[in-house]
C-alpha cells in the first residue's frame, strides 16, 4: 500500500475591519490621485474584509493569487502601513562619498589652479580632469552634473563684474539715472523735452552668399550654400528715445564725428524732435 503525503492546505488570513479602517481603505480604493498599485491593494483588503476567498479576489481584481495572498498577509500583520512598498537597497553607489566630495572641490576651483588652459569648467572638462587627477578611473559628464546638482554647483556659468575707480562716479551716475526718470537738476522735464541715448555697433560683417538658398520641398529640407562673398564691414549707430522706446538708426562705412553728426541730424529733423 502506497502512502501519499498531502501538503498542508494554507488558509487565507482572516481580515476583520473596523469602521474607521473600512473608511480609510475606501478613501484609497476610490482615490483619483493615489498610485494605481496602492488602489488595487486597498481593494484586495476590502474584498478580504467582505469574506471573499483569495481565488475570488484574484479573479475580481485581475491579479494572481500570490499577489492577493501577499497583500492580505501584509495588512493582517502591519495594517495600512503594510500596503506601502518596503524600501529597496537598489544598486550600490559606484562612487564613494569621498570621490563625490573631491569632484565638488575640483568644480569649486579655477581651472588655472590645476594647470588646465580654460577660463571656466564644463562637465566634460571636469570629467576628464577627475580621471587625470586620479579621483576616479572613469566618470561621465552626466555623472558630474548629477553630483554637482545636489550641491547646486554650476561652474560652467559665470557672472562678470567691474571695479569702479572714479571717485566721482556716484555723482556722475546720478545725473544719468535722473534723466532716465525725466528729471534734470531736480526738476521734471517738460512735454517737449526728450532724453535720447545713443550708441554704436562697429564692424558688422556685410556678407552675401554666392548662391541663393533653396526652399524646402517634399522630403527635402531647406538648403543653404556655405560660400559667401565679403562686402566689407559697416557700423550701426542708433539713437534711443528713453521715454518712448523709439529707435532711430543710421548705417555708415566707418565711425567718427561725421557719422555721429549724421545721426544727430537725422533725429533733430524728424518729429517730434525737430
Amino acid at each position: 500500500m502506497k502512502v501519499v503525503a498531502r501538503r498542508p492546505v494554507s488558509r487565507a488570513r482572516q481580515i476583520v475591519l473596523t469602521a474607521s479602517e473600512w473608511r480609510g481603505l475606501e478613501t484609497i480604493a476610490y482615490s483619483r490621485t493615489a498610485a494605481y498599485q496602492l488602489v488595487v491593494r486597498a481593494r484586495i483588503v476590502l474584498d478580504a474584509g467582505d469574506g471573499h476567498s483569495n481565488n475570488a479576489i484574484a479573479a475580481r481584481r485581475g491579479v494572481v493569487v500570490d499577489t492577493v495572498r501577499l497583500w492580505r498577509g501584509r495588512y493582517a500583520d502591519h495594517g495600512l502601513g503594510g500596503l506601502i512598498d518596503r524600501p529597496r537597497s537598489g544598486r550600490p553607489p559606484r562612487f564613494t562619498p569621498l570621490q563625490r566630495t573631491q569632484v565638488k572641490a575640483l568644480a569649486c576651483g579655477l581651472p588655472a589652479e590645476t594647470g588646465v588652459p580654460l577660463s571656466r569648467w564644463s562637465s566634460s572638462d571636469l570629467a576628464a580632469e577627475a580621471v587625470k587627477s586620479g579621483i576616479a578611473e572613469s566618470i561621465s559628464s552626466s555623472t558630474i552634473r548629477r553630483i554637482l546638482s545636489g550641491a547646486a554647483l554650476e561652474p560652467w556659468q559665470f557672472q562678470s563684474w567691474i571695479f569702479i575707480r572714479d571717485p566721482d562716479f556716484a555723482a556722475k551716475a546720478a545725473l544719468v539715472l535722473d534723466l532716465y526718470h525725466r528729471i534734470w537738476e531736480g526738476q521734471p522735464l517738460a512735454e517737449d523735452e526728450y532724453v535720447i541715448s545713443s550708441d554704436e555697433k562697429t564692424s558688422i560683417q556685410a556678407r552675401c552668399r554666392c548662391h541663393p538658398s533653396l526652399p524646402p520641398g517634399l522630403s527635402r529640407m531647406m538648403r543653404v550654400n556655405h560660400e559667401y562673398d565679403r562686402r566689407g564691414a559697416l557700423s550701426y549707430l542708433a539713437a534711443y528715445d528713453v521715454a518712448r522706446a523709439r529707435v532711430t538708426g543710421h548705417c555708415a562705412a566707418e565711425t567718427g564725428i561725421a557719422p555721429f553728426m549724421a545721426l544727430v541730424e537725422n533725429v533733430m529733423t524728424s518729429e517730434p524732435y525737430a
Side-chain angles (χ1 to χ4, degrees), residues 4-268:
V4 179
R6 294 184 178 181
R7 296 177 59 185
V9 179
S10 59
R11 296 183 178 275
R13 301 289 296 274
Q14 186 177 7
I15 302 297
V16 179
L17 300 175
T18 63
S20 60
E21 291 175 337
W22 196 279
R23 287 193 298 269
L25 289 168
E26 281 189 331
T27 301
I28 299 174
Y30 298 101
S31 172
R32 295 185 178 181
T33 57
Y36 174 74
Q37 296 87 343
L38 187 60
V39 171
V40 173
R41 295 165 191 174
R43 292 179 179 179
I44 288 174
V45 177
L46 288 173
D47 290 342
D50 277 335
H52 295 285
S53 65
N54 289 345
N55 290 329
I57 297 174
R60 293 185 65 184
R61 303 306 172 190
V63 297
V64 298
V65 178
D66 287 341
T67 300
V68 176
R69 187 178 297 112
L70 170 65
W71 298 112
R72 187 171 186 160
R74 287 272 191 91
Y75 187 85
D77 293 335
H78 306 288
L80 191 60
L83 302 183
I84 302 175
D85 288 323
R86 293 173 180 173
R88 301 177 181 179
S89 59
R91 188 181 68 177
R94 181 182 172 187
F95 301 99
T96 65
L98 176 60
Q99 289 175 311
R100 291 174 174 269
T101 303
Q102 289 174 329
V103 168
K104 296 174 185 177
L106 181 63
C108 290
L110 295 176
E113 296 176 356
T114 58
V116 179
L118 296 172
S119 59
R120 61 181 183 273
W121 290 114
S122 68
S123 57
S124 57
D125 294 327
L126 281 170
E129 185 61 26
V131 174
K132 180 181 177 181
S133 59
I135 296 177
E137 293 184 359
S138 65
I139 187 170
S140 64
S141 58
S142 59
T143 302
I144 292 290
R145 285 183 175 270
R146 284 195 297 270
I147 293 175
L148 299 184
S149 63
L153 292 175
E154 294 179 335
W156 38 85
Q157 295 188 0
F158 70 96
Q159 182 179 11
S160 61
W161 81 96
I162 187 171
F163 289 107
I164 299 173
R165 296 181 174 87
D166 188 350
D168 300 326
F169 175 80
K172 296 176 181 178
L175 297 176
V176 178
L177 295 176
D178 285 346
L179 283 174
Y180 274 93
H181 288 280
R182 294 185 55 80
I183 297 175
W184 176 249
E185 294 183 347
Q187 299 296 325
L189 297 181
E191 291 296 327
D192 58 347
E193 294 178 320
Y194 307 95
V195 179
I196 306 295
S197 176
S198 63
D199 202 353
E200 61 183 10
K201 173 64 177 177
T202 60
S203 300
I204 301 176
Q205 293 290 328
R207 301 182 297 183
C208 179
R209 296 194 180 274
C210 298
H211 302 282
S213 300
L214 299 178
L218 182 63
S219 301
R220 186 192 69 191
M221 65 182 65
M222 184 178 72
R223 296 178 180 177
V224 180
N225 180 250
H226 181 70
E227 297 177 326
Y228 57 84
D229 290 331
R230 294 182 181 271
R231 302 295 177 85
L234 295 175
S235 298
Y236 179 73
L237 295 86
Y240 178 66
D241 188 330
V242 175
R244 292 167 176 77
R246 179 184 300 178
V247 177
T248 302
H250 175 70
C251 290
E254 57 185 8
T255 60
I257 188 62
F260 178 74
M261 291 307 299
L263 174 67
V264 173
E265 182 180 359
N266 190 8
V267 174
M268 299 300 291

